[in-house]
Amino acid sequence: MHADEKISGYQLSLLLFTFIVSTLILSVPGIMVAFAKQNAWLSILPASLTGIVNIWVLTSLSKRHPGKSIIEYASSICGKWIGTIIGFYLTYYLFFFISSTVNEHAGFINIILLMNTPPLVSMATMLVLCGFVVLAGVEAIARCNEVILPVIILLLVPMFLLSLRDMDPARLTPILAEGILPVLKGSVVPSAWMSQFFFLGWFLPHLNEQPHRIRKHLTVSWGGVVLLVMTIDIITITVFGPITPRLKFAFFKVIQYIGILGSLERLETIAITIWILGIFIKISMLLYMFSLSASQLFFARNYRKTVLPVTLLSIVGSVWIFRSDAQFQAWITFTYPVLAFITQSLLPLLLLGIDVLRAKPSKSIG
């Protein structure tokens, strides 16, 4: 770990906000509506519980093992062999995660913008660009995000305002006509995104303040994600109603739709800008975590030595991971929520539980 690389609690909370919403806002609302219909906007409430639990669990683990990443304290808690197995699993999980994210990015860009460009070009360009930022360090990623996130918000707000004239609030009714079960079904997929606060396990050691003090910042970040997703769900449902599940990138279609009907043309360029800026931060963070995990597993003194091989491996993984868009959609709807529950929610909770049981009675949890 590089002690000289420090970020503030404010910067870290902004990073996690961008990390989660960058892919959530375009790809998930349609899936939520498919399960919860007009009540999908309520599904984010039960889904958000995984986020608040993970904030508490990961900050507690970091307080108990200061200066260590989740890869390092997994060995301290579970012993060398089991800890190494967990480390390899988490590194592979990051490889799979970054590959699927870059693949999704290329799919979006090829459908919307560069129809005749080979997906490999989109994948390699983004990963190489992110690789340079990762080489600059975690502070550089945090500072980039401080510039990028306000731009994303400034671009989103006019889209929300322009959509008001096309919204029909009647499409939100009846509320809970079929009970709470559809709402809970609709919460399964977004809960996988909310549990991505799990990735704090790689960034908390860089914090320039005590881990438990950042909880306030992270709770605000968590609340911001909930509010944004709820707003986007309400807008999407009130504009498109029951046809929402049939639309790929449903919120993008809303922006496209208000651009067609209004006096402002080609509004989809704003949606593309929001996507590229957000995904740039997300992939940079994933690439950093992947490089750091690989260096800690193989006892490299500097994670920067692993950035080049990890970037090349991620390019290969992005091409290899999904053979079709249908395969990706099936994975994101049914497989990823289960995988996320096990890895992002259950695993850190088990680590904290084992650590508490093994610790002396005087050792604090919080």
Side-chain angles (χ1 to χ4, degrees):
M1 194 62 63
H2 297 267
D4 57 318
E5 293 184 13
K6 292 293 182 182
I7 56 175
S8 67
Y10 169 74
Q11 288 175 315
L12 183 53
S13 62
L14 291 184
L15 278 173
L16 267 292
F17 179 85
T18 308
F19 186 90
I20 293 169
V21 302
S22 58
T23 49
L24 177 61
I25 60 175
L26 284 184
S27 54
V28 176
I31 300 171
M32 293 170 72
V33 177
F35 288 102
K37 299 184 176 64
Q38 73 277 7
N39 294 309
W41 61 281
L42 290 169
S43 293
I44 192 63
L45 297 175
S48 67
L49 295 176
T50 58
I52 207 73
V53 169
N54 269 8
I55 288 170
W56 183 81
V57 170
L58 270 300
T59 49
S60 297
L61 281 165
S62 189
K63 183 187 174 186
R64 298 167 72 87
H65 301 274
K68 290 184 178 181
S69 75
I70 190 170
I71 299 284
E72 293 171 312
Y73 59 66
S75 292
S76 302
I77 294 169
C78 300
K80 183 182 176 182
W81 293 108
I82 295 176
T84 302
I85 291 168
I86 292 171
F88 272 106
Y89 170 72
L90 289 177
T91 305
Y92 177 74
Y93 185 78
L94 284 167
F95 166 63
F96 202 91
F97 203 110
I98 195 169
S99 299
S100 62
T101 304
V102 176
N103 185 280
E104 183 183 14
H105 163 68
F108 177 78
I109 293 298
N110 279 92
I111 289 171
I112 305 302
L113 188 64
L114 305 173
M115 281 75 81
N116 299 317
T117 305
L120 178 61
V121 175
S122 304
M123 295 171 183
T125 304
M126 180 58 81
L127 277 164
V128 169
L129 185 62
C130 293
F132 282 115
V133 182
V134 173
L135 283 170
V138 70
E139 286 183 62
I141 301 173
R143 289 185 185 278
C144 281
N145 186 55
E146 281 187 290
V147 176
I148 284 171
L149 184 55
V151 174
I152 292 173
I153 300 299
L154 283 172
L155 291 174
L156 275 174
V157 170
M159 298 302 99
F160 294 163
L161 296 175
L162 287 169
S163 65
L164 287 172
R165 62 178 182 187
D166 300 305
M167 291 168 61
D168 179 5
R171 289 180 175 143
L172 293 171
T173 58
I175 296 174
L176 297 178
E178 297 173 35
I180 197 72
L181 190 59
V183 172
L184 295 176
K185 285 180 180 177
S187 72
V188 172
V189 173
S191 73
W193 264 260
M194 294 304 296
S195 70
Q196 287 175 12
F197 281 99
F198 159 74
F199 294 108
L200 284 166
W202 281 265
F203 289 93
L204 284 171
H206 291 298
L207 204 58
N208 61 8
E209 56 191 272
Q210 291 297 317
H212 64 279
R213 290 183 181 172
I214 195 189
R215 286 177 181 167
K216 183 179 177 181
H217 288 297
L218 290 171
T219 304
V220 173
S221 177
W222 167 84
V225 175
V226 172
L227 188 64
L228 184 61
V229 175
M230 190 177 281
T231 303
I232 284 171
D233 275 350
I234 289 171
I235 290 171
T236 308
I237 295 164
T238 52
V239 171
F240 288 130
I243 69 164
T244 303
R246 297 200 288 271
L247 302 173
K248 185 170 173 60
F249 302 119
F251 184 61
F252 173 79
K253 294 294 182 186
V254 171
I255 295 173
Q256 218 171 21
Y257 179 72
I258 61 178
I260 291 167
L261 291 184
S263 55
L264 298 170
E265 294 184 358
R266 308 301 295 177
L267 284 181
E268 63 263 34
T269 55
I270 293 178
I272 293 165
T273 304
I274 291 168
W275 173 268
I276 291 173
L277 290 174
I279 209 80
F280 166 72
I281 295 296
K282 184 160 193 163
I283 294 170
S284 296
M285 291 173 70
L286 285 167
L287 200 59
Y288 168 76
M289 289 186 277
F290 191 11
S291 302
L292 186 64
S293 299
S295 69
Q296 289 173 349
L297 272 181
F298 297 107
F299 305 105
R301 298 186 73 177
N302 191 328
Y303 79 89
R304 289 178 174 88
K305 292 179 180 179
T306 65
V307 173
L308 179 60
V310 155
T311 302
L312 294 173
L313 188 62
S314 299
I315 293 170
V316 174
S318 304
V319 175
W320 155 80
I321 192 165
F322 297 116
R323 293 181 181 177
S324 67
D325 181 63
Q327 194 178 43
F328 171 75
Q329 288 300 321
W331 179 81
I332 209 171
T333 306
F334 302 107
T335 309
Y336 175 56
V338 176
L339 202 59
F341 173 73
I342 294 168
T343 309
Q344 297 169 193
S345 294
L346 195 58
L347 178 61
L349 203 56
L350 285 172
L351 286 174
L352 181 60
I354 294 166
D355 199 32
V356 169
L357 290 172
R358 290 185 60 181
K360 293 177 182 178
S362 60
K363 200 168 185 179
S364 169
I365 300 177

